[in-house]
Amino acid sequence: MAAAAPDAPAGFSEAPAPTATAQPEAGGEDSREVRVLQSLRGKICEAKNLLPYLGPNKMRDCFCTINLDQEEVYRTQVVEKSLSPFFSEEFYFEIPRTFQYLSFYVYDKNVLQRDLRIGKVAIKKEDLCNHSGKETWFSLQPVDSNSEVQGKVHLELKLNELITENGTVCQQLVVHVKACHGLPLINGQSCDPYATVSLVGPSRNDQKKTKVKKKTSNPQFNEIFYFEVTRSSSYTRKSQFQVEEEDIEKLEIRIDLWNNGNLVQDVFLGEIKVPVNVLRNDASHQAWYLLQPRDNGNKSSKTDDLGSLRLNICYTEDYVLPSEYYGPLKTLLLKSPDVQPISASAAYILGEICRDKNDAVLPLVRLLLHHDKLVPFATAVAELDLKETQDANTIFRGNSLATRCLDEMMKIVGGHYLKVTLKPILDEICESSKSCEIDPIKLKEGDNVENNKENLRYYVDKLFSTIVKSSMSCPTVMCDIFYSLRQMATQRFPNDPHVQYSAVSSFVFLRFFAVAVVSPHTFHLRPHHPDPQTIRTLTLISKTIQTLGSWGSLSKSKSSFKETFMCEFFKMFQEEGYIMAVKKFLDEISSTETKESSGTSEPVHLKEGEMYKRAQGRTRIGKKNFKKRWFCLTSRELTYHKQPGKDAIYTIPVKNILAVEKLEESSFNKKNMFQVIHTEKPLYVQANNCVEANEWIDVLCRVSRCNQNRLSSYHPSAYLNGNWLCCLETSENALGCKPCTAGVPADIQIDIDEDRETERIYSLFTLSLLKLHKMEEACGTIAVYQGPQKEPDDYSNFVIEDSVTTFKTIQQIKSVIEKLDEPHEKYRKKRSSSAKYGSKENPIGKIF
């Protein structure tokens, strides 16, 4: 709960919270609508002191993966010939399922054999909050197949009484292995699992085995096994039973899960151990158990010898309530652009109190953008930045709230702009083998530096020419903000004729185009990470484009390069034509003239990637198998191709899509499948992991949300062998047996879930209540003492221009946060009480 407000000092009055409709009672029917949404963002920075090869060539070709339990969801580029590889790759994705561990594996790339796992960093989900928002060095731990487990087992134990032939009474232990859920993929495919069931004690080890289930991560075993045990009244000293009463306390049931390897060795998938004494008070025991590593899973190893990995991780789990709960907080935030001064607004205060401004920027920008409030807010905070800027040459060069808001805005709205401007040329560069190295120290044997210079100049000229002719594709939101920046910069530095250009170029060249060129994968301009030679080429091009933009706008006679070879190369571009082209471009993107919508003339490129599709089976005897294809989605059509850049094999117009839904694993015994239901036969697609599947379903739903004749129900399983597997209807045209999932935001280019963004902001305010309280106290101190008289360190870092207005806003923030605390607390209590320990949602063995 929020801290109690201090007594209001003279001139202050407690401000009421923004008015809104009455909030519904939490814990009632609405509580079922709460959405639990997980996301992960961060950066894989670098590794160091990796274990070298034993031979003369000690270097390794390394890459790093991110895994949810045992499922790989992200992979970095390969860094060649290094024992301290510098990755510097940022990641962000939604997590669509539950998981136990977030793991980072460092691999050594092997061309002829399977890649070697050097070591790993495995973090329990419950411990992720301890590392949030800060860079940390983690020691690499050894990778042992006996410790690589995931999934859970559903088990039931019973005790039955039996009378033996000699008249004694014994107990029969009945073990019912019901099912497993969430077993890992083996070599990218669903496993062939089976279980061994053992009764283990000091003097016995009886083992039995289930049947093998083919190609499934969620096997249904439903097999029952019987073991005989004794009890206190069931034996005499003359009894022939080997297990006596005191040994029953030491008996346990052990279940080991294995993948049937057929011709190769079986793979251990995990185990559970259940003591028989769980039946001491009950005749039966039924529960879900998390699979655990083997006792010898972590063999002794000097982990210091494996090296270490530097990571920045930020995991969030949001409980998004129904929309009506967020009315007061949204109202308060959306009023921010109109608050005078802007530093007293709720949005600005959030940026002040968050430990990391980046945490606040993403949800703020998305929410304000969704309600067309970003331009006035960004303009106001940029004006505050300009007041503090004394030198025109350093304009908008820092990492303030204003610059970060604009960076995030350009990433969100500028995606299509980058694709139509840069992608064709970046594709040419990445698919070409031309060398562009001009550093004499880095030249390879046989390289001609003059030829390399010409190659580099060709690419720079082509890219520069495309950029300066692209003003008509620049999104209107970006143009509106650039116009405001230009006007404010001119007013702040009236005697500097170039500042009107540098104010715009510092964003569009330095923070937008140059960054996208050097890391095209981050901006979805390339499907894969470029190889090291291409990265070097892109780095040289990016440096030149960045300097061309700033140098041309400032009309400098000298470049800012430190390297002699770059200074020499840049002399090729010191011509008046380049200066005039940059100025003309900056004039065009910062004018008030109406631009054409960037999506009207060409289809918007939304997503592409490699997945598997099931053959359509157009002939009765055709084999319906799965084939790897390259999928491409635009705002007009979904296509797949044999390879990127090749002609489409199959096309589905977006207007023909009727629904996009997940497909049950049991249909084809494959995980991460979804179906595109359209006017012809459904298209069944398998993604490479759960994150990728979730992203494709989301973007396909968004692009087709407004289609006419969208289905209200669908079949969650496939139509095979003359009937639907889900409902057994025989007609291929039978109505669906399950309601379609709820709609998603309709905006194709800007996917914004405003309730989720508001929930994230609520969480940030909640985490920063102590700092908010200090800011509130600072307002009172300033009002009473007319300035910082005592202990300025407590609040000197806050920007407080108007203490009275700021105090009132803080009061409103605390009021709406307290009101939102109530439904959140009720939901948490209901969630914790509803998930019984041992249930599928809360299995035994889960670590809290």
Side-chain angles (χ1 to χ4, degrees), residues 215-228:
K215 302 300 179 187
T216 177
S217 297
N218 303 312
Q220 300 290 322
F221 291 112
N222 283 320
E223 294 193 40
I224 300 175
F225 303 94
Y226 301 92
F227 301 89
E228 288 188 0

Side-chain angles (χ1 to χ4, degrees), residues 344-355:
S345 67
Y348 193 92
I349 290 171
L350 178 64
E352 284 286 281
I353 64 175
C354 279
R355 183 179 63 179

Side-chain angles (χ1 to χ4, degrees), residues 13 128 148 171 183 185 188 248 338 341 368 405 480-481 505 546 555 568 591 627 643 656 748 808 846:
S13 62
L128 286 172
E148 304 293 292
Q171 297 248 17
L183 298 180
L185 298 177
I248 293 179
D338 304 320
L368 294 172
C405 282
D480 290 343
I481 290 181
S505 67
Q546 173 184 323
S555 298
E568 289 298 314
S591 71
K627 295 182 179 179
Q643 294 176 350
N656 290 350
I748 296 169
K808 290 180 178 178
K846 187 173 183 180

Side-chain angles (χ1 to χ4, degrees), residues 281-331:
N281 300 320
D282 297 301
S284 68
H285 170 76
Q286 182 176 180
W288 283 87
Y289 285 83
L290 281 178
L291 288 171
Q292 303 295 331
R294 270 184 176 166
D295 287 340
N296 64 345
N298 292 317
K299 298 178 181 178
S300 59
S301 175
K302 294 183 179 180
T303 58
D304 292 340
D305 296 338
L306 298 179
S308 53
L309 183 65
R310 182 161 63 95
L311 302 169
N312 189 328
I313 306 166
C314 183
Y315 167 77
T316 60
E317 185 177 68
D318 295 322
Y319 301 99
V320 183
L321 305 171
S323 296
E324 51 266 33
Y325 285 98
Y326 297 109
L329 182 54
K330 274 194 281 192
T331 301

